Amino acid sequence: PTLAEHFVEAITSLGFKELAIEARHAQRAGLMGIPHQDPFDRLLIAQTNIEGMTLVSNEQLFDQWFVSRLWSKPLYKESP
């Protein structure tokens, strides 16, 4: 089985929670005075800042916007 097939079970078992996109997240992302223009990245930055949460990502670019970021070795091994 792949991670995609068991994603919900995997993140739930690790204690992660889903976070819905709210209008205030989109508003903050649109108002950010940063040069990075990727709308999804901006949304993740806004959500992390508003909610005071830690972002799970291997993208070091988030560090320059004072995002709390967590990354480690994969916890789930893909099947060949």
mmCIF file with all atom_site columns, all heavy atoms in Angstrom, residues 2-17 75-77:
data_model
loop_
_atom_site.group_PDB
_atom_site.id
_atom_site.type_symbol
_atom_site.label_atom_id
_atom_site.label_alt_id
_atom_site.label_comp_id
_atom_site.label_asym_id
_atom_site.label_entity_id
_atom_site.label_seq_id
_atom_site.pdbx_PDB_ins_code
_atom_site.Cartn_x
_atom_site.Cartn_y
_atom_site.Cartn_z
_atom_site.occupancy
_atom_site.B_iso_or_equiv
_atom_site.pdbx_formal_charge
_atom_site.auth_seq_id
_atom_site.auth_comp_id
_atom_site.auth_asym_id
_atom_site.auth_atom_id
_atom_site.pdbx_PDB_model_num
ATOM 1   N N   . THR A 1 2  ? 0.364  2.293  -0.609 1.00 0.00 ? 2  THR A N   1
ATOM 2   C CA  . THR A 1 2  ? 1.093  3.560  -0.654 1.00 0.00 ? 2  THR A CA  1
ATOM 3   C C   . THR A 1 2  ? 0.556  4.499  0.411  1.00 0.00 ? 2  THR A C   1
ATOM 4   O O   . THR A 1 2  ? -0.536 4.305  0.955  1.00 0.00 ? 2  THR A O   1
ATOM 5   C CB  . THR A 1 2  ? 0.938  4.237  -2.027 1.00 0.00 ? 2  THR A CB  1
ATOM 6   O OG1 . THR A 1 2  ? -0.426 4.611  -2.190 1.00 0.00 ? 2  THR A OG1 1
ATOM 7   C CG2 . THR A 1 2  ? 1.381  3.328  -3.159 1.00 0.00 ? 2  THR A CG2 1
ATOM 8   N N   . LEU A 1 3  ? 1.329  5.534  0.701  1.00 0.00 ? 3  LEU A N   1
ATOM 9   C CA  . LEU A 1 3  ? 0.889  6.543  1.659  1.00 0.00 ? 3  LEU A CA  1
ATOM 10  C C   . LEU A 1 3  ? -0.413 7.184  1.196  1.00 0.00 ? 3  LEU A C   1
ATOM 11  O O   . LEU A 1 3  ? -1.321 7.425  1.985  1.00 0.00 ? 3  LEU A O   1
ATOM 12  C CB  . LEU A 1 3  ? 1.969  7.614  1.835  1.00 0.00 ? 3  LEU A CB  1
ATOM 13  C CG  . LEU A 1 3  ? 1.597  8.786  2.738  1.00 0.00 ? 3  LEU A CG  1
ATOM 14  C CD1 . LEU A 1 3  ? 1.199  8.328  4.129  1.00 0.00 ? 3  LEU A CD1 1
ATOM 15  C CD2 . LEU A 1 3  ? 2.747  9.770  2.819  1.00 0.00 ? 3  LEU A CD2 1
ATOM 16  N N   . ALA A 1 4  ? -0.536 7.435  -0.110 1.00 0.00 ? 4  ALA A N   1
ATOM 17  C CA  . ALA A 1 4  ? -1.747 8.069  -0.630 1.00 0.00 ? 4  ALA A CA  1
ATOM 18  C C   . ALA A 1 4  ? -2.989 7.233  -0.331 1.00 0.00 ? 4  ALA A C   1
ATOM 19  O O   . ALA A 1 4  ? -4.054 7.780  -0.037 1.00 0.00 ? 4  ALA A O   1
ATOM 20  C CB  . ALA A 1 4  ? -1.612 8.303  -2.130 1.00 0.00 ? 4  ALA A CB  1
ATOM 21  N N   . GLU A 1 5  ? -2.853 5.918  -0.373 1.00 0.00 ? 5  GLU A N   1
ATOM 22  C CA  . GLU A 1 5  ? -3.990 5.040  -0.119 1.00 0.00 ? 5  GLU A CA  1
ATOM 23  C C   . GLU A 1 5  ? -4.420 5.057  1.346  1.00 0.00 ? 5  GLU A C   1
ATOM 24  O O   . GLU A 1 5  ? -5.587 4.801  1.657  1.00 0.00 ? 5  GLU A O   1
ATOM 25  C CB  . GLU A 1 5  ? -3.657 3.605  -0.531 1.00 0.00 ? 5  GLU A CB  1
ATOM 26  C CG  . GLU A 1 5  ? -3.490 3.434  -2.024 1.00 0.00 ? 5  GLU A CG  1
ATOM 27  C CD  . GLU A 1 5  ? -2.959 2.055  -2.383 1.00 0.00 ? 5  GLU A CD  1
ATOM 28  O OE1 . GLU A 1 5  ? -2.035 1.564  -1.704 1.00 0.00 ? 5  GLU A OE1 1
ATOM 29  O OE2 . GLU A 1 5  ? -3.476 1.489  -3.363 1.00 0.00 ? 5  GLU A OE2 1
ATOM 30  N N   . HIS A 1 6  ? -3.492 5.355  2.246  1.00 0.00 ? 6  HIS A N   1
ATOM 31  C CA  . HIS A 1 6  ? -3.775 5.307  3.683  1.00 0.00 ? 6  HIS A CA  1
ATOM 32  C C   . HIS A 1 6  ? -3.439 6.626  4.370  1.00 0.00 ? 6  HIS A C   1
ATOM 33  O O   . HIS A 1 6  ? -3.153 6.656  5.556  1.00 0.00 ? 6  HIS A O   1
ATOM 34  C CB  . HIS A 1 6  ? -2.975 4.167  4.329  1.00 0.00 ? 6  HIS A CB  1
ATOM 35  C CG  . HIS A 1 6  ? -3.318 2.834  3.762  1.00 0.00 ? 6  HIS A CG  1
ATOM 36  N ND1 . HIS A 1 6  ? -4.480 2.169  4.083  1.00 0.00 ? 6  HIS A ND1 1
ATOM 37  C CD2 . HIS A 1 6  ? -2.680 2.061  2.861  1.00 0.00 ? 6  HIS A CD2 1
ATOM 38  C CE1 . HIS A 1 6  ? -4.531 1.042  3.420  1.00 0.00 ? 6  HIS A CE1 1
ATOM 39  N NE2 . HIS A 1 6  ? -3.453 0.945  2.665  1.00 0.00 ? 6  HIS A NE2 1
ATOM 40  N N   . PHE A 1 7  ? -3.521 7.706  3.616  1.00 0.00 ? 7  PHE A N   1
ATOM 41  C CA  . PHE A 1 7  ? -3.084 9.005  4.133  1.00 0.00 ? 7  PHE A CA  1
ATOM 42  C C   . PHE A 1 7  ? -3.872 9.458  5.361  1.00 0.00 ? 7  PHE A C   1
ATOM 43  O O   . PHE A 1 7  ? -3.296 9.853  6.368  1.00 0.00 ? 7  PHE A O   1
ATOM 44  C CB  . PHE A 1 7  ? -3.152 10.067 3.036  1.00 0.00 ? 7  PHE A CB  1
ATOM 45  C CG  . PHE A 1 7  ? -2.589 11.386 3.463  1.00 0.00 ? 7  PHE A CG  1
ATOM 46  C CD1 . PHE A 1 7  ? -1.226 11.534 3.640  1.00 0.00 ? 7  PHE A CD1 1
ATOM 47  C CD2 . PHE A 1 7  ? -3.422 12.470 3.709  1.00 0.00 ? 7  PHE A CD2 1
ATOM 48  C CE1 . PHE A 1 7  ? -0.691 12.741 4.045  1.00 0.00 ? 7  PHE A CE1 1
ATOM 49  C CE2 . PHE A 1 7  ? -2.895 13.683 4.112  1.00 0.00 ? 7  PHE A CE2 1
ATOM 50  C CZ  . PHE A 1 7  ? -1.517 13.815 4.287  1.00 0.00 ? 7  PHE A CZ  1
ATOM 51  N N   . VAL A 1 8  ? -5.186 9.400  5.296  1.00 0.00 ? 8  VAL A N   1
ATOM 52  C CA  . VAL A 1 8  ? -6.013 9.872  6.416  1.00 0.00 ? 8  VAL A CA  1
ATOM 53  C C   . VAL A 1 8  ? -5.702 9.066  7.672  1.00 0.00 ? 8  VAL A C   1
ATOM 54  O O   . VAL A 1 8  ? -5.507 9.637  8.755  1.00 0.00 ? 8  VAL A O   1
ATOM 55  C CB  . VAL A 1 8  ? -7.513 9.802  6.068  1.00 0.00 ? 8  VAL A CB  1
ATOM 56  C CG1 . VAL A 1 8  ? -8.368 10.158 7.273  1.00 0.00 ? 8  VAL A CG1 1
ATOM 57  C CG2 . VAL A 1 8  ? -7.827 10.737 4.910  1.00 0.00 ? 8  VAL A CG2 1
ATOM 58  N N   . GLU A 1 9  ? -5.624 7.760  7.552  1.00 0.00 ? 9  GLU A N   1
ATOM 59  C CA  . GLU A 1 9  ? -5.310 6.912  8.702  1.00 0.00 ? 9  GLU A CA  1
ATOM 60  C C   . GLU A 1 9  ? -3.917 7.221  9.245  1.00 0.00 ? 9  GLU A C   1
ATOM 61  O O   . GLU A 1 9  ? -3.709 7.262  10.458 1.00 0.00 ? 9  GLU A O   1
ATOM 62  C CB  . GLU A 1 9  ? -5.400 5.426  8.332  1.00 0.00 ? 9  GLU A CB  1
ATOM 63  C CG  . GLU A 1 9  ? -6.799 4.955  7.981  1.00 0.00 ? 9  GLU A CG  1
ATOM 64  C CD  . GLU A 1 9  ? -7.122 5.132  6.501  1.00 0.00 ? 9  GLU A CD  1
ATOM 65  O OE1 . GLU A 1 9  ? -6.345 5.742  5.748  1.00 0.00 ? 9  GLU A OE1 1
ATOM 66  O OE2 . GLU A 1 9  ? -8.192 4.650  6.102  1.00 0.00 ? 9  GLU A OE2 1
ATOM 67  N N   . ALA A 1 10 ? -2.956 7.443  8.345  1.00 0.00 ? 10 ALA A N   1
ATOM 68  C CA  . ALA A 1 10 ? -1.579 7.710  8.759  1.00 0.00 ? 10 ALA A CA  1
ATOM 69  C C   . ALA A 1 10 ? -1.474 9.010  9.544  1.00 0.00 ? 10 ALA A C   1
ATOM 70  O O   . ALA A 1 10 ? -0.867 9.043  10.623 1.00 0.00 ? 10 ALA A O   1
ATOM 71  C CB  . ALA A 1 10 ? -0.645 7.754  7.547  1.00 0.00 ? 10 ALA A CB  1
ATOM 72  N N   . ILE A 1 11 ? -2.067 10.084 9.034  1.00 0.00 ? 11 ILE A N   1
ATOM 73  C CA  . ILE A 1 11 ? -1.931 11.362 9.745  1.00 0.00 ? 11 ILE A CA  1
ATOM 74  C C   . ILE A 1 11 ? -2.744 11.373 11.037 1.00 0.00 ? 11 ILE A C   1
ATOM 75  O O   . ILE A 1 11 ? -2.325 11.951 12.034 1.00 0.00 ? 11 ILE A O   1
ATOM 76  C CB  . ILE A 1 11 ? -2.280 12.575 8.851  1.00 0.00 ? 11 ILE A CB  1
ATOM 77  C CG1 . ILE A 1 11 ? -3.740 12.565 8.415  1.00 0.00 ? 11 ILE A CG1 1
ATOM 78  C CG2 . ILE A 1 11 ? -1.338 12.671 7.670  1.00 0.00 ? 11 ILE A CG2 1
ATOM 79  C CD1 . ILE A 1 11 ? -4.185 13.836 7.723  1.00 0.00 ? 11 ILE A CD1 1
ATOM 80  N N   . THR A 1 12 ? -3.884 10.708 11.031 1.00 0.00 ? 12 THR A N   1
ATOM 81  C CA  . THR A 1 12 ? -4.700 10.634 12.248 1.00 0.00 ? 12 THR A CA  1
ATOM 82  C C   . THR A 1 12 ? -3.969 9.857  13.330 1.00 0.00 ? 12 THR A C   1
ATOM 83  O O   . THR A 1 12 ? -3.954 10.262 14.491 1.00 0.00 ? 12 THR A O   1
ATOM 84  C CB  . THR A 1 12 ? -6.069 9.986  11.938 1.00 0.00 ? 12 THR A CB  1
ATOM 85  O OG1 . THR A 1 12 ? -6.720 10.757 10.938 1.00 0.00 ? 12 THR A OG1 1
ATOM 86  C CG2 . THR A 1 12 ? -6.938 9.926  13.178 1.00 0.00 ? 12 THR A CG2 1
ATOM 87  N N   . SER A 1 13 ? -3.341 8.753  12.960 1.00 0.00 ? 13 SER A N   1
ATOM 88  C CA  . SER A 1 13 ? -2.634 7.926  13.944 1.00 0.00 ? 13 SER A CA  1
ATOM 89  C C   . SER A 1 13 ? -1.436 8.652  14.543 1.00 0.00 ? 13 SER A C   1
ATOM 90  O O   . SER A 1 13 ? -1.006 8.343  15.649 1.00 0.00 ? 13 SER A O   1
ATOM 91  C CB  . SER A 1 13 ? -2.185 6.610  13.316 1.00 0.00 ? 13 SER A CB  1
ATOM 92  O OG  . SER A 1 13 ? -1.121 6.812  12.403 1.00 0.00 ? 13 SER A OG  1
ATOM 93  N N   . LEU A 1 14 ? -0.909 9.643  13.827 1.00 0.00 ? 14 LEU A N   1
ATOM 94  C CA  . LEU A 1 14 ? 0.225  10.414 14.320 1.00 0.00 ? 14 LEU A CA  1
ATOM 95  C C   . LEU A 1 14 ? -0.204 11.664 15.089 1.00 0.00 ? 14 LEU A C   1
ATOM 96  O O   . LEU A 1 14 ? 0.626  12.436 15.554 1.00 0.00 ? 14 LEU A O   1
ATOM 97  C CB  . LEU A 1 14 ? 1.134  10.812 13.150 1.00 0.00 ? 14 LEU A CB  1
ATOM 98  C CG  . LEU A 1 14 ? 1.840  9.645  12.473 1.00 0.00 ? 14 LEU A CG  1
ATOM 99  C CD1 . LEU A 1 14 ? 2.496  10.101 11.172 1.00 0.00 ? 14 LEU A CD1 1
ATOM 100 C CD2 . LEU A 1 14 ? 2.866  9.027  13.405 1.00 0.00 ? 14 LEU A CD2 1
ATOM 101 N N   . GLY A 1 15 ? -1.508 11.876 15.202 1.00 0.00 ? 15 GLY A N   1
ATOM 102 C CA  . GLY A 1 15 ? -2.018 13.001 15.976 1.00 0.00 ? 15 GLY A CA  1
ATOM 103 C C   . GLY A 1 15 ? -2.187 14.296 15.196 1.00 0.00 ? 15 GLY A C   1
ATOM 104 O O   . GLY A 1 15 ? -2.462 15.338 15.784 1.00 0.00 ? 15 GLY A O   1
ATOM 105 N N   . PHE A 1 16 ? -2.036 14.245 13.871 1.00 0.00 ? 16 PHE A N   1
ATOM 106 C CA  . PHE A 1 16 ? -2.220 15.445 13.056 1.00 0.00 ? 16 PHE A CA  1
ATOM 107 C C   . PHE A 1 16 ? -3.703 15.696 12.838 1.00 0.00 ? 16 PHE A C   1
ATOM 108 O O   . PHE A 1 16 ? -4.514 14.774 12.859 1.00 0.00 ? 16 PHE A O   1
ATOM 109 C CB  . PHE A 1 16 ? -1.519 15.296 11.699 1.00 0.00 ? 16 PHE A CB  1
ATOM 110 C CG  . PHE A 1 16 ? -0.026 15.285 11.793 1.00 0.00 ? 16 PHE A CG  1
ATOM 111 C CD1 . PHE A 1 16 ? 0.676  14.088 11.796 1.00 0.00 ? 16 PHE A CD1 1
ATOM 112 C CD2 . PHE A 1 16 ? 0.687  16.470 11.874 1.00 0.00 ? 16 PHE A CD2 1
ATOM 113 C CE1 . PHE A 1 16 ? 2.055  14.071 11.886 1.00 0.00 ? 16 PHE A CE1 1
ATOM 114 C CE2 . PHE A 1 16 ? 2.064  16.467 11.958 1.00 0.00 ? 16 PHE A CE2 1
ATOM 115 C CZ  . PHE A 1 16 ? 2.752  15.268 11.959 1.00 0.00 ? 16 PHE A CZ  1
ATOM 116 N N   . LYS A 1 17 ? -4.044 16.965 12.628 1.00 0.00 ? 17 LYS A N   1
ATOM 117 C CA  . LYS A 1 17 ? -5.429 17.345 12.357 1.00 0.00 ? 17 LYS A CA  1
ATOM 118 C C   . LYS A 1 17 ? -5.495 18.120 11.058 1.00 0.00 ? 17 LYS A C   1
ATOM 119 O O   . LYS A 1 17 ? -4.565 18.818 10.685 1.00 0.00 ? 17 LYS A O   1
ATOM 120 C CB  . LYS A 1 17 ? -5.964 18.220 13.484 1.00 0.00 ? 17 LYS A CB  1
ATOM 121 C CG  . LYS A 1 17 ? -6.016 17.502 14.808 1.00 0.00 ? 17 LYS A CG  1
ATOM 122 C CD  . LYS A 1 17 ? -6.531 18.396 15.905 1.00 0.00 ? 17 LYS A CD  1
ATOM 123 C CE  . LYS A 1 17 ? -6.516 17.637 17.211 1.00 0.00 ? 17 LYS A CE  1
ATOM 124 N NZ  . LYS A 1 17 ? -6.939 18.464 18.328 1.00 0.00 ? 17 LYS A NZ  1
ATOM 125 N N   . LEU A 1 75 ? 8.117  8.985  7.732  1.00 0.00 ? 75 LEU A N   1
ATOM 126 C CA  . LEU A 1 75 ? 7.626  8.037  8.736  1.00 0.00 ? 75 LEU A CA  1
ATOM 127 C C   . LEU A 1 75 ? 6.932  6.839  8.087  1.00 0.00 ? 75 LEU A C   1
ATOM 128 O O   . LEU A 1 75 ? 6.632  5.870  8.738  1.00 0.00 ? 75 LEU A O   1
ATOM 129 C CB  . LEU A 1 75 ? 6.615  8.753  9.647  1.00 0.00 ? 75 LEU A CB  1
ATOM 130 C CG  . LEU A 1 75 ? 7.178  9.931  10.434 1.00 0.00 ? 75 LEU A CG  1
ATOM 131 C CD1 . LEU A 1 75 ? 6.053  10.646 11.158 1.00 0.00 ? 75 LEU A CD1 1
ATOM 132 C CD2 . LEU A 1 75 ? 8.213  9.450  11.427 1.00 0.00 ? 75 LEU A CD2 1
ATOM 133 N N   . TYR A 1 76 ? 6.702  6.929  6.791  1.00 0.00 ? 76 TYR A N   1
ATOM 134 C CA  . TYR A 1 76 ? 5.954  5.891  6.080  1.00 0.00 ? 76 TYR A CA  1
ATOM 135 C C   . TYR A 1 76 ? 6.748  5.503  4.840  1.00 0.00 ? 76 TYR A C   1
ATOM 136 O O   . TYR A 1 76 ? 7.092  6.343  4.045  1.00 0.00 ? 76 TYR A O   1
ATOM 137 C CB  . TYR A 1 76 ? 4.577  6.439  5.686  1.00 0.00 ? 76 TYR A CB  1
ATOM 138 C CG  . TYR A 1 76 ? 3.609  5.407  5.208  1.00 0.00 ? 76 TYR A CG  1
ATOM 139 C CD1 . TYR A 1 76 ? 2.743  4.793  6.099  1.00 0.00 ? 76 TYR A CD1 1
ATOM 140 C CD2 . TYR A 1 76 ? 3.529  5.067  3.879  1.00 0.00 ? 76 TYR A CD2 1
ATOM 141 C CE1 . TYR A 1 76 ? 1.827  3.852  5.658  1.00 0.00 ? 76 TYR A CE1 1
ATOM 142 C CE2 . TYR A 1 76 ? 2.629  4.122  3.424  1.00 0.00 ? 76 TYR A CE2 1
ATOM 143 C CZ  . TYR A 1 76 ? 1.780  3.514  4.325  1.00 0.00 ? 76 TYR A CZ  1
ATOM 144 O OH  . TYR A 1 76 ? 0.892  2.603  3.878  1.00 0.00 ? 76 TYR A OH  1
ATOM 145 N N   . LYS A 1 77 ? 7.033  4.251  4.686  1.00 0.00 ? 77 LYS A N   1
ATOM 146 C CA  . LYS A 1 77 ? 7.811  3.779  3.551  1.00 0.00 ? 77 LYS A CA  1
ATOM 147 C C   . LYS A 1 77 ? 6.900  3.375  2.395  1.00 0.00 ? 77 LYS A C   1
ATOM 148 O O   . LYS A 1 77 ? 5.957  2.617  2.588  1.00 0.00 ? 77 LYS A O   1
ATOM 149 C CB  . LYS A 1 77 ? 8.684  2.593  3.958  1.00 0.00 ? 77 LYS A CB  1
ATOM 150 C CG  . LYS A 1 77 ? 9.657  2.173  2.889  1.00 0.00 ? 77 LYS A CG  1
ATOM 151 C CD  . LYS A 1 77 ? 10.578 1.100  3.383  1.00 0.00 ? 77 LYS A CD  1
ATOM 152 C CE  . LYS A 1 77 ? 11.566 0.726  2.300  1.00 0.00 ? 77 LYS A CE  1
ATOM 153 N NZ  . LYS A 1 77 ? 12.509 -0.272 2.732  1.00 0.00 ? 77 LYS A NZ  1
#
